[in-house]
Amino acid sequence: MTASRKYHITTFGCQMNKADSERMAGVLEDMGLQWSEDPNGADVILYNTCTIRDNAEQKVYSYLGKQAKRKHQQPDLTLIVAGCVAQQEGEQLLRRVPELDLVMGPQHANRLGDLLEQVFEGNQVVATEAIHIVEDITKPRRDSKVTAWVNVIYGCNERCTYCVVPSVRGVEQSRTPEAIRAEMEVLGRQGYKEVTLLGQNIDAYGRDLPGSTPEGRNKHTLTDLLYFVHDVPGIDLIRFATSHPRYFTERLIRACHELPKVCEHFHIPFQSGDNEVLKAMARGYTQEKYRRIIAKIREYMPDASISADAIVGFPGETEAQFENTLKLVEDIGFDQLNTAAYSPRPGTPAALWENQVSEEAKRDRLQRLNRLVEVKAAERTQRYANRIEEVLVEDRNPKNPSQVMGRTRGNRLTFFEGNIEELKGAIVKVKVSEVRAFSLTGELLDVPALV
Ligand code: SAH
Ligand code: SF4
Ligand code: F3S
């Protein structure tokens, strides 16, 4: 292969996919390929796909159709579908888009190099069998120079009745604390300032690893991991996602409170504010338990920011049950909430139930919920007015080049006038001058010593 070959990756879906894309980009660069911003200028095109809802899946097909056509003019174009649609559809994807060269599930991300070798030998390859994820020995090509994702657990063993993730991401596989720490140490040396530890159900971290404490508790929990990685030199801020209310512990809350690098932001999806719906979803907690968790977090960290995900129109959800979700949102006051209308997914139990909610009702509920979210976020954000916040500067404001942007410890996007060359990667104090529902504008208070 010649060094002039170019690749393009389009990533859909969640942070796990973003992290996988960065690793796959690393593999491609190791093979001598160069990034092409324009997909039409690339010789290797990779779609890293998401199938969490039907519209996410359909988006992939429309993108793919265009590139498949291009392949008729440019036969040496290599077309790859990776990620969750690849895992879900497997061979069927080849039947639907015969122009594809490689279909690979998320567990195979680290194997991209080997798989491509097979493709370059003239094979059409499908890699979707369940495997033990080999420790990542590749160098990811990370999008940011300031913040980085670090996977701590792959897969999910829950069986929420609406969700495709367990069937596309496989069973839980935790990385060892030593491997996680080693990756963070490299990041620290490279100048990264913030790490987000990733898992679909990060509270499950370690339950598949051997070893227990003298009291008989599993010695590898997320809480233990936070203590273990906390002093990694250079890394100043640590975040983690996604938390599951069923496993969230007071020990974890205490650790977040005690450990200065761990940011006071919690992403804990509740999905529904109604106990019957939660039961039908097989979530394993009640709305009362959820409220207790948030109350406990706020007891230790009154200013903590709380975000979550919620689904409206789950099969059988009545108007009154939906109103319980509104009530929960009203009472908790989220800083941010990702909302979605329920979408039946192949191979999930709830997709087969007969009590589906009409599209019209789903749309209506989604709109009403979103309106409330906006109102509540606008209320919550007022607490930032005129406050001095610590912000890690990540980049230029893409909409205003004289401004830079970063996030507060509470994960609120913040813009202010400043020079990115000077400030990138610095943690600075910013006086907030303008608050909006989901972002802030401020003024830089101190210019840091050279970083
Ligand atoms: N592991 C996380 C979230 C995984 S998926 C958790 O347990 O909460 C991200 C979000 O997509 C979910 O929180 C849920 O709100 C949404 N989601 C998942 N499946 C969905 C479906 N079938 N229809 C609509 N939204 C869905
Ligand atoms: Fe899906 Fe539930 Fe696992 Fe989250 S915990 S990824 S919603 S099955
Ligand atoms: Fe989508 Fe797969 Fe993530 S389905 S949300 S990309 S785990």
Side-chain angles (χ1 to χ4, degrees):
M1 185 152 33
T2 60
S4 62
R5 285 188 39 109
K6 293 205 161 81
Y7 74 96
H8 181 89
I9 299 182
T10 302
T11 307
F12 304 90
C14 65
Q15 295 160 328
M16 328 283 143
N17 259 18
K18 293 189 179 125
D20 290 348
S21 285
E22 293 184 346
R23 282 206 306 278
M24 291 191 286
V27 173
L28 294 173
E29 303 219 335
D30 273 355
M31 295 176 82
L33 281 96
Q34 283 163 11
W35 169 252
S36 164
E37 189 64 40
D38 173 15
N40 294 317
D43 311 282
V44 173
I45 293 195
L46 188 153
Y47 291 107
N48 196 9
T49 60
C50 172
T51 183
I52 199 78
R53 287 178 284 276
D54 187 58
N55 55 5
E57 185 181 349
Q58 297 313 322
K59 220 190 286 174
V60 175
Y61 292 121
S62 92
Y63 276 66
L64 259 183
K66 283 184 213 126
Q67 293 301 334
K69 270 207 204 101
R70 209 181 116 207
K71 187 151 176 172
H72 294 275
Q73 276 98 54
Q74 191 189 329
D76 65 346
L77 179 67
T78 303
L79 274 184
I80 307 170
V81 177
C84 297
V85 175
Q87 186 65 38
Q88 179 183 281
E89 297 299 313
E91 299 255 346
Q92 285 188 46
L93 210 50
L94 293 186
R95 262 173 247 138
R96 187 160 176 172
V97 189
E99 291 85 353
L100 285 177
D101 296 290
L102 171 57
V103 174
M104 53 184 288
Q107 297 187 9
H108 295 262
N110 295 344
R111 296 185 57 226
L112 175 60
D114 293 346
L115 297 169
L116 262 184
E117 291 300 337
Q118 296 174 36
V119 168
F120 293 144
E121 282 163 20
N123 302 305
Q124 203 177 25
V125 181
V126 177
T128 51
E129 67 281 13
I131 55 166
H132 176 72
I133 295 175
V134 275
E135 196 37 62
D136 186 16
I137 43 162
T138 56
K139 290 191 299 310
R141 175 195 183 269
R142 301 187 192 262
D143 282 344
S144 163
K145 295 274 169 279
V146 179
T147 66
W149 319 110
V150 172
N151 289 98
V152 306
I153 177 169
Y154 303 99
C156 178
N157 286 6
E158 297 300 302
R159 281 285 174 269
C160 305
T161 50
Y162 51 83
C163 183
V164 289
V165 171
S167 73
V168 291
R169 289 266 162 183
V171 294
E172 289 167 2
Q173 299 184 40
S174 301
R175 295 175 71 198
T176 64
E178 291 75 20
I180 295 164
R181 191 180 159 106
E183 185 173 351
M184 289 176 66
E185 283 175 351
V186 172
L187 289 166
R189 282 198 293 275
Q190 290 173 339
Y192 285 86
K193 292 289 156 45
E194 177 184 288
V195 159
T196 302
L197 305 174
L198 286 185
Q200 273 298 358
N201 172 4
I202 202 164
D203 303 84
Y205 174 74
R207 62 184 179 188
D208 57 322
L209 295 176
S212 47
T213 62
E215 311 87 67
R217 177 175 70 69
N218 184 335
K219 78 177 185 201
H220 300 295
T221 65
L222 175 61
T223 309
D224 297 293
L225 180 68
L226 288 176
Y227 282 106
F228 185 68
V229 299
H230 191 259
D231 60 349
V232 169
I235 301 299
D236 294 329
L237 300 170
I238 299 175
R239 302 177 187 273
F240 58 88
T242 301
S243 303
H244 195 306
R246 181 172 177 183
Y247 303 101
F248 207 88
T249 62
E250 183 165 355
R251 225 182 125 236
L252 175 62
I253 299 174
R254 226 178 298 126
C256 297
H257 176 56
E258 267 173 34
L259 295 171
K261 291 182 183 178
V262 178
C263 294
E264 298 74 24
H265 169 227
F266 298 87
H267 183 69
I268 319 178
F270 62 88
Q271 313 301 3
S272 167
D274 182 84
N275 287 344
E276 287 302 311
V277 175
L278 285 171
K279 203 178 215 170
M281 290 175 162
R283 289 288 289 178
Y285 55 86
T286 59
Q287 57 95 9
E288 290 85 355
K289 159 114 192 233
Y290 188 84
R291 287 169 190 265
R292 281 198 298 275
I293 292 170
I294 305 302
K296 193 51 91 181
I297 291 174
R298 287 179 169 162
E299 197 180 302
Y300 282 88
M301 292 160 273
D303 194 46
S305 68
I306 313 283
S307 62
D309 304 344
I311 298 176
V312 302
F314 184 75
E317 185 189 68
T318 62
E319 171 62 24
Q321 290 173 329
F322 167 66
E323 282 168 16
N324 285 334
T325 293
L326 290 179
K327 177 97 177 52
L328 187 75
V329 172
E330 177 71 49
D331 293 348
I332 301 261
F334 290 94
D335 292 275
Q336 191 139 23
L337 184 68
N338 307 318
T339 58
Y342 168 72
S343 166
R345 304 309 294 132
T348 60
L352 303 174
W353 298 348
E354 277 167 12
N355 52 354
Q356 302 290 325
V357 171
S358 74
E359 290 302 319
E360 195 190 343
K362 285 190 214 170
R363 251 194 319 273
D364 168 67
R365 289 176 195 175
L366 189 59
Q367 269 179 15
R368 284 155 66 199
L369 179 57
N370 285 343
R371 269 201 300 272
L372 179 63
V373 168
E374 176 96 29
V375 169
K376 298 306 287 185
E379 276 172 35
R380 281 284 288 166
T381 200
Q382 291 305 327
R383 74 191 196 285
Y384 285 111
N386 298 316
R387 241 168 51 175
I388 294 170
E389 282 288 313
E390 268 181 20
V391 175
L392 168 61
V393 181
E394 290 176 31
D395 226 322
R396 216 184 285 275
N397 175 358
K399 294 201 186 118
N400 179 349
S402 73
Q403 287 190 343
V404 299
M405 64 177 192
R407 279 168 301 137
T408 64
R409 290 178 66 97
N411 211 34
R412 185 93 14 161
L413 200 56
T414 306
F415 304 99
F416 56 94
E417 292 292 322
N419 178 353
I420 190 64
E421 314 301 335
E422 229 171 87
L423 294 171
K424 192 167 192 158
I427 296 175
V428 293
K429 288 201 162 53
V430 173
K431 172 112 197 255
V432 176
S433 51
E434 204 182 306
V435 296
R436 290 171 298 275
F438 302 108
S439 63
L440 309 170
T441 299
E443 281 152 36
L444 179 62
L445 284 188
D446 57 352
V447 179
L450 276 183
V451 280

